Amino acid sequence: MTTTEVLNRTEASTDRRVPSARQGRDKRKPLRPSSIIAFVILAILAILWLLPFAWAIVTSLKSEADAGATPVTWIPEGGFTLDAYTSVLSEGNIPQWAFNSVFTSVVITAVSVAISALAAYAFSRINFAGKKWLFYLTIASIIVPPQMLIVPLFYQMLAFDMVDTYAGIILPQLIHPAIVFILKQFFDQVPIELEEAARVDGASRMRVFLQIVMPLSRPILAAVSIFVFVGAWNNFLWPFIVTNDASLMTLPVGLQTVQSAFGVQYAQDMASAVLAALPLIVVFLFFQRQIIKGFATTGFGGQ
Amino acid sequence: MTTTPQLNRAQGIGPSALNRRDGRVPNSARRRDTLHGWAFAAPFVIAFLLFLVWPIIYGFYLSLTGQSITGANSELIGFENYGEAFRDADVWRSLGNTLWFTVLSTVPLVLVALILALLVNLGLPGQWLWRLAFFAPFLLASTVVSLFWIWMYNPQLGLVNSILGGQTAWLTDSNTAMISVVITTVWWTVGFNFLLYLAALQNIPEQQYEAASLDGAGKWRQLFSITIPQLAPTTLVIVILQILASLKVFDQIYIMTGGGPGGATRPIVQYIYETGFTAYRLGYASAVAYVFFAIIVIASVAQMVITSRRGAK
C-alpha cells in the first residue's frame, strides 16, 4: 500500500458525494433491518463517546452552586451562565498558556519538519560518506522512549540555563527520527529524473530541494506536520518537567495546576478544560478530512 | 540559500548523479556529495546529538553514580543502582502496574477500534459525525481528558455514578482505580486505531467480496473469511504500536490518581519521575529509566522478530 493510495482512498471515503467502495457493494437499500440495527448501535456508541464532552460543557455553563448540587441534573436550577468562563479568563493564566502552547507547538512543528525533511532528503538522494551508519543510528533511535530521558535532559537544561524558557520546552521536542524515516521513504518514491534535469541545468541541491522536491511533497509534509503539531500541542511530561514558572507553562501543564488553584470549583475546572479542548476540536471540524488523512498516513509509517 | 557562481560552475562540470552512471565517481564529486550530505543533515544531526544521543549517554553515566541533587556522592559506584532497582519492591510493583495497564488497555483498544471501524465502514449515514465522535477525543491533551474524567468519576456529582447509581469512589478505590483509568484511556485513544482500521478496510479489494457473494457467502461469512484475515497485517501493526504506547503510560494516571491509591496504579514512568524529581536521586532514577528502556527494547525486538517472520511467509 503506497502513501498515495492511502491518501486517495481515505479521501474518497470521507467525501460523501463520492460513493465509496463499500456503498457500491451494498446495492440494496440502506433501510434493511440489519442496517437499522447497526445504525442504532453506532448511534449509542457515538452518544457514549460524546457524553464526557457534553457533560463538561454543561457543567462549565452552570453556576458553581448548581455544579456542586445533588442530585445531578443536566439543566441547572439557576439557568445557564457564562460566569465560569469569565472568571477563568479574567483571573487565570489561560490566555498566557494558550499563547505559550501555540507558540511552542508552531515552532516545534516548523523547525522539526524542516530539519527532518533536509536530513531525509540527504538520506534519500545524496551519497555521502557516513550516510549508512548515520541512517541506522537515526532508525535505531526511534526505539528510545522520550520518557526515559527526563532526568538527564532536565539536568542538561539546567546546565544550559534553559529551565523555564521557551528554548527549554522546544529544543528536546525537535527530534523526530520516525518523521525522518517516513519522509525518506516518500522521497525514495519521487522520480529522480526531474531533479537530474534541474541539476544538469545548474541548479544547486538546495534549489532542487526547495523548488522541486518540497512542492511535490506537500501532502506528506502536511500529514507529518499535523502529526507533530498535535503531539507538541498535547505534550505533557516534558513541558511539565521543564517549567515551574506559571507564565511559561503550556495549556496541558497549566491546566493540571488549575484543579488545586480553584479548589472545588467544578464549573471553572470544566470551563478551563473546554477552553483548552476547543482549538483542536474546531480545527478538526473544519479540516476533518486532512487531519484524518494525516494521521492515517503517519500512523502506517508513511506506507 | 543562494548559490555562489563557483558552486554553479563546479556542478556544471558534472553533477554527481550523472557521473554515477559511468560506474566511476570522481573524487571531487564524492567529496562534494559528502559535504552536501552532511550540510543537509547537519541541523537534524546537531539536535539529535545534543538532545537525544547525549542524554542517553549522560543518563547511563548517571545511573552508575550515586548522584543526588546535593551533588554529594557523585563518584562511580558501578552497577549498585541496578542491584538496588532489582531488589526494590516499588520498581516491581510499578512494572507490574505498567504491564497490567498494558494488557487491560491493549485488548479493548484493538477490539473496540475494530468494531467501530467495521460499523462505520458499512457506509451508514452520518459518517462525519461518527468520525468526529470517535476520533475527536484523540486530539485532546491528556490533562483535558483527565479533567473531564475526574469530573465524570466524581463519587457524588459525577455522571458515572448518577447513571449507574451507587457511590463508588472510582479513582480512590484500589479495586476500581486501574479499570477507571483504562476506560478513560480507551475513550481517549481508541480513535487512532479506529482510523488505521478504517483506512485498511477501504483497501480490501472489492473483487474478493464480489467473488464471495457469487459463491453464496453471507455477510457474516464474508466478515470472518475475508475482512478479518485481510486486516491481519493492520491488526499486527496496531497491537504493536498499542503495546509500546501503553508501556509508556504516565500522564492520565499521574493526573487522575497520582499513581494511587497507595501506589496501586503507579506506572514505571511515574516512579522514574518521582525518584528523579521528588526524591532527587538522579543516579537511581537513571538506573530505573534504563530498566524501563530495556523493557521497551525487548518489546520492540519481539515486534521486529514477529513482523519479519510474517513478512517472510
Side-chain angles (χ1 to χ4, degrees), chain A residues 104-124:
Chain A
T104 56
S105 308
V106 167
V107 173
I108 288 167
T109 307
V111 176
S112 71
V113 172
I115 66 176
S116 301
L118 282 166
Y121 183 73
F123 286 135
S124 173

Side-chain angles (χ1 to χ4, degrees), chain B residues 107-167:
Chain B
V107 174
L109 277 168
V110 174
L111 283 180
V112 174
L114 176 62
I115 291 166
L116 292 177
L118 286 171
L119 284 170
V120 169
N121 198 49
L122 290 172
L124 296 165
Q127 290 292 314
W128 181 84
L129 179 70
W130 312 134
R131 282 160 213 261
L132 174 74
F134 303 132
F135 185 69
F138 185 74
L139 296 172
L140 302 181
S142 52
T143 321
V144 173
V145 170
S146 302
L147 282 175
F148 279 4
W149 281 89
I150 289 171
W151 181 229
M152 290 285 286
Y153 286 131
N154 186 299
Q156 286 83 40
L157 304 166
L159 201 57
V160 175
N161 277 347
S162 123
I163 291 171
L164 298 179
Q167 295 270 303

Side-chain angles (χ1 to χ4, degrees), chain B residues 259-283:
Chain B
T265 54
R266 178 170 61 188
I268 189 72
V269 173
Q270 188 183 339
Y271 191 63
I272 297 169
Y273 165 73
E274 285 174 356
T275 318
F277 294 97
T278 313
Y280 296 117
R281 295 189 59 200
L282 314 189

Side-chain angles (χ1 to χ4, degrees), chain A residues 103-291:
Chain A
F103 177 71
T104 56
S105 308
V106 167
V107 173
I108 288 167
T109 307
V111 176
S112 71
V113 172
I115 66 176
S116 301
L118 282 166
Y121 183 73
F123 286 135
S124 173
R125 286 289 193 268
I126 308 174
N127 215 352
F128 59 101
K131 163 167 137 171
K132 217 176 201 173
W133 66 259
L134 184 61
F135 186 62
Y136 287 148
L137 194 65
T138 306
I139 299 300
S141 72
I142 293 175
I143 216 174
V144 177
Q147 293 86 347
M148 76 170 283
L149 301 177
I150 51 175
V151 172
L153 258 182
F154 179 78
Y155 285 92
Q156 205 177 327
M157 288 300 150
L158 215 53
F160 291 170
D161 225 355
M162 281 185 186
V163 173
D164 272 329
T165 65
Y166 287 126
I169 298 171
I170 292 168
L171 288 171
Q173 295 192 67
L174 294 179
I175 318 139
H176 289 280
I179 302 291
V180 175
F181 178 68
I182 288 170
L183 290 175
K184 190 239 176 209
Q185 278 190 311
F186 179 84
F187 294 151
D188 284 348
Q189 291 172 5
V190 176
I192 199 166
E193 284 73 23
L194 262 171
E195 292 169 54
E196 282 183 344
R199 299 269 290 142
V200 171
D201 290 344
S204 72
R205 279 205 193 275
M206 188 49 91
R207 247 186 97 178
V208 168
F209 174 75
L210 289 177
Q211 295 186 347
I212 297 176
V213 180
M214 284 295 98
L216 282 173
S217 316
R218 243 179 242 147
I220 191 87
L221 290 173
V224 298
S225 299
I226 288 166
F227 196 81
V228 173
F229 183 87
V230 174
W233 178 267
N234 288 339
N235 194 1
F236 175 73
L237 183 57
W238 177 249
F240 169 65
I241 281 170
V242 84
T243 52
N244 297 307
D245 182 346
S247 68
L248 276 153
M249 290 176 177
T250 57
L251 267 176
V253 179
L255 272 189
Q256 196 259 337
T257 66
V258 150
Q259 261 188 299
S260 38
F262 291 152
V264 285
Q265 295 183 300
Y266 302 113
Q268 293 195 20
D269 278 4
M270 288 306 110
S272 313
V274 169
L275 282 174
L278 220 54
L280 278 194
I281 299 294
V282 170
V283 170
F284 183 70
L285 290 177
F286 283 104
F287 299 101
Q288 196 192 43
R289 193 189 301 176
Q290 290 86 339
I291 291 174

